[in-house]
Amino acid sequence: MKKIIKFALLLVCSACIFTACDDDRDSNPTLQKPTAGSLVLNTPAMAANATYDLANSNQLVLTLGNLPNYGFPAYATYTLAVSLNSDMSNAQDVATTPYAKFEVDAASLAATLTTMATDAGMSEAAFPLDIPIYFQARGAATQYAGNAIEGTETTSNVVKLSTVHLLYSLPPVTAPEVLYITGSFNGWSWDSSLAMVPCYDGPNVLWHMVWIDEAGIKFNANRAWDGGEVGFNGLHSVTGDLAGNIQASSDGNIASSQPGWYLMIITATVSGRDIIYDAQFNEPNVWLMGTITAKADWSEQEEGMKFEVPTTPDGEFVSPAFVNNSSGDGGVRAYVKVPGFDWWKSEFMVFDKKIVYRAGGGDQDRIEGFAGQKLYLNFNNETGDIK
């Protein structure tokens, strides 16, 4: 019966073997290149018969049984890699140390192995797994700055653990609650990026007015160049009234053959471990709503109540003049129309000269308006005014 190893898994310890100069009389020792087999990764005594349960372990420890002789006591760095394949294809590094012992965090190792298994086509439903895994070490003498000295690199033997009990160890993938837009309109700065707005009752549907030109834009769930940014090729589909204007720039950004303002709507959904982005690019229409309009009957997209659209990135959207004074619970109301959502699910208003979006929150406070006034909006810096 196989032994289940839990908690810290200490494999086989071995004392470090330190090398010295062959001749103490030599004040200028010659660097020796490591020979094949000079770096040995110990095979645990129970590697063939034990089951290693990562979910109930803190740490996995592997040791080196022999170290290369560089001709003098050289500082060296050793790295441990793991693979699901005996030929170490698709290996991932899991630990680095200057000593002869690798201490591998069990939870991190489980996440790495789960990623490898799913990348190889394994479904989440197939877990838990009892699988063999393989380790290999590599080492090199290093300079003071940590850079490897050319010609000192060497690789160890491959060690097999016959049975590793692996639970599905990846966190669930969720659609982002916010997306940030950067582009030529703001000098490609994430610090001044635009935060897309979720629709009420539609947290995976986000929108914003954005200026798109030939240089284009990108968006990301983080305000950073961290590899998660999405360009044209990252869009699953491109639809909408102005979809025909949208194209890839020379460096892969979401660009336009007709520079101007667009109402960009992103629907983010999860498929397996992937986030799918479907994009709409619509006319940049903003509408007045409420008792200030001519009809004052709360009908959507009322004729004559559409804002003027600016022709520059820093221009203002300007409403038609208010026809009536606001009354009752009316106030000044403004919105964009997101297909499939009622107007109030994508409404916003100006408070203290800042645009504030309702998004997923409750009803906004009412702002009083008078006949003849207009609402001015700058979506690049999220400011506005009623005057």
Side-chain angles (χ1 to χ4, degrees), residues 28-203:
N28 295 299
T30 301
L31 176 67
Q32 294 181 196
K33 294 184 178 181
T35 58
S38 61
L39 181 63
V40 175
L41 182 63
N42 287 327
T43 299
M46 297 175 289
N49 298 315
T51 295
Y52 297 90
D53 186 355
L54 297 180
N56 291 293
S57 303
N58 298 321
Q59 196 176 70
L60 189 67
V61 178
L62 288 163
T63 61
L64 296 169
N66 193 56
L67 303 179
N69 183 351
Y70 296 111
F72 56 90
Y75 184 85
T77 300
Y78 304 99
T79 301
L80 184 69
V82 69
S83 178
L84 299 179
N85 307 313
S86 60
D87 63 358
M88 297 303 295
S89 55
N90 302 317
Q92 294 288 322
D93 294 342
V94 291
T96 299
T97 180
Y99 307 110
K101 183 171 72 172
F102 297 105
E103 298 178 345
V104 185
D105 180 76
S108 295
L109 178 60
T112 298
L113 294 172
T114 301
T115 299
M116 288 180 172
T118 55
D119 286 348
M122 193 73 66
S123 69
E124 183 176 352
F127 288 76
L129 304 172
D130 289 302
I131 55 173
I133 65 173
Y134 303 87
F135 289 101
Q136 188 174 45
R138 66 181 186 274
T142 55
Q143 299 170 342
Y144 179 76
N147 299 320
I149 298 173
E150 185 177 357
T152 65
E153 299 88 351
T154 187
T155 303
S156 78
N157 54 302
V158 175
V159 165
K160 176 183 178 181
L161 302 186
S162 296
T163 308
V164 172
H165 187 67
L166 179 64
L167 303 181
Y168 190 84
S169 302
L170 297 178
V173 175
T174 57
E177 295 181 358
V178 64
L179 292 171
Y180 300 98
I181 309 170
T182 190
S184 64
F185 68 87
N186 72 339
W188 298 98
S189 168
W190 288 112
D191 292 337
S192 60
S193 58
L194 299 174
M196 297 192 73
V197 186
C199 291
Y200 190 93
D201 280 344

Side-chain angles (χ1 to χ4, degrees), residues 281-298:
F281 296 89
N282 290 338
E283 296 279 356
N285 294 328
V286 181
W287 305 83
L288 284 178
M289 174 63 80
T291 55
I292 58 171
T293 73
K295 291 184 178 180
D297 64 357
W298 304 94

Side-chain angles (χ1 to χ4, degrees), residues 232-276:
F232 184 84
N233 289 335
L235 301 178
H236 177 256
S237 66
V238 176
T239 60
D241 304 332
L242 303 180
N245 297 345
I246 302 302
Q247 59 190 17
S249 69
S250 59
D251 49 0
N253 301 324
I254 302 167
S256 171
S257 60
Q258 300 294 322
W261 284 94
Y262 292 80
L263 172 57
M264 185 171 81
I265 304 166
I266 300 292
T267 301
T269 55
V270 175
S271 177
R273 301 292 301 176
D274 298 321
I275 299 176
I276 306 300

